[in-house]
Amino acid sequence: MRDSIQGHQREDVAVIGYAARLPGVDTIDDFWRSLIDGRCHVRGIPDSRWSSARFFDPDRDVQGKTYARSAGLIDNVYDFDAAYFGLSPREAEQMDPQQRVLLETVARAFDHAGVDPNRLDRKRTGVFIGASSSDHSTMGLKDPKMIDAQYMLGNTLSIISNRISYQWDLSGPSYTVDTACSSGLFALDQAVRAIRDGDIDTAVVGSVNMLLSPLPFIGFARASMLSQIGLCQAFGKNADGYVRGEGAVVFILRRADLARIEHDRIRSVVAATGTNSDGRTTGIAMPSSQRQSDLFENIKTTYDIDPNDLAFVEAHGTGTPVGDPEEAHAIGSAYGQHRSAPLPIGSAKTNFGHLEPAAGLVGLLKAQMSL
């Protein structure tokens, strides 16, 4: 991203609004204060989510249990004003809280952007959402009798994005992206491409993750991915794994010339986006420093980015002893070694935990507010 004053050369895609609901914070102002004050919002998982006596064991070798008892959690996860969105209580009860929290966050993002969704050019507005968790859908395994007529539409990943298009009658492209931890940023890349290609003028870009089942905790613990001490120590020498987190982040993007015509507040512009894949590594979950460096180099060359212009890099930085060194090496190779001063890097996961599919947009929000 570039500051809207300094980035006049690439103002074709503007950020005009954003909103978030994240662990320990309910507004973007709270989010910024937490960063400035260096607060960590990771906490113990309460028994209101699931029984720690049943699913927790500090012994890493015990099967069917998780040694991780900490997470970045939002409050009142099941609260929802169904009437505000014209939904019946019966339908809302069947909906995955991911859909409900995202609806609320999109509404806030429209407000922050000063955009009346009813006045949007519906055919020229797209919805691009990153999501991968299906925790709520497993609830039906406990008691199949709870499954009602709205259960499938309320718990299908594709509907997370389509629910937004339906709510505000938007008929541009609308789809859910699942590329694991890069889902939110991949959705951003798709939205930017759609605007630059002239397919749409405005985009709702968001991502969401909710921790509603102990089963993924058990799986990640068995893979030794989670921190035993319960902290995401991004790029720290004592990093022992990541802490899971939940929440939602939404950005409103618009073609910059239209934003100026509409007198929108241009809060920043997107300087560049890009994607690639690690391909084959030593294991399917293992990162490739070389492929990450290749992506950085490609973006740097294609968009003529001077490494000396970078204020800092908001990295993935999960706090794992495998991923962090690979990522730091890639950033250093592509950018750090070509600067006249050290390049600061960091990760908001230290404050809020790892929101998995939503992690990238948490980092983007940190970069946006830093501007």
Side-chain angles (χ1 to χ4, degrees), residues 49-50 96-98 132-140 151 155 157 209-217 244 246 356:
R49 291 291 177 109
W50 52 79
D96 185 343
Q98 291 187 127
S132 62
S133 173
S134 300
D135 282 11
H136 190 258
S137 65
T138 64
M139 299 296 186
Y151 189 81
N155 290 272
L157 281 177
N209 190 47
M210 302 298 292
L211 310 179
L212 306 174
S213 168
L215 300 184
F217 280 85
R244 303 186 73 208
E246 67 182 8
E356 295 162 341

Side-chain angles (χ1 to χ4, degrees), residues 90 93-94 136-153 155:
R90 184 178 181 182
E93 185 179 11
Q94 294 282 300
H136 190 258
S137 65
T138 64
M139 299 296 186
L141 298 175
K142 298 179 181 179
D143 182 11
K145 294 180 181 178
M146 70 174 284
I147 299 175
D148 208 340
Q150 295 88 2
Y151 189 81
M152 293 310 299
L153 291 177
N155 290 272

Side-chain angles (χ1 to χ4, degrees), residues 96 98-99 102 127-134 137 151-166 172-178 208:
D96 185 343
Q98 291 187 127
Q99 292 189 22
L102 197 60
V127 179
F128 306 81
I129 303 298
S132 62
S133 173
S134 300
S137 65
Y151 189 81
M152 293 310 299
L153 291 177
N155 290 272
T156 302
L157 281 177
S158 61
I159 302 299
I160 289 180
S161 51
N162 297 155
R163 179 75 66 178
I164 296 166
S165 302
Y166 176 82
S174 176
Y175 55 89
T176 306
V177 171
D178 181 3
V208 63

Side-chain angles (χ1 to χ4, degrees), residues 338-358:
H338 304 283
R339 286 169 52 92
S340 57
L343 176 62
I345 63 174
S347 171
K349 294 175 183 63
T350 299
N351 305 86
F352 304 101
H354 182 5
L355 269 72
E356 295 162 341

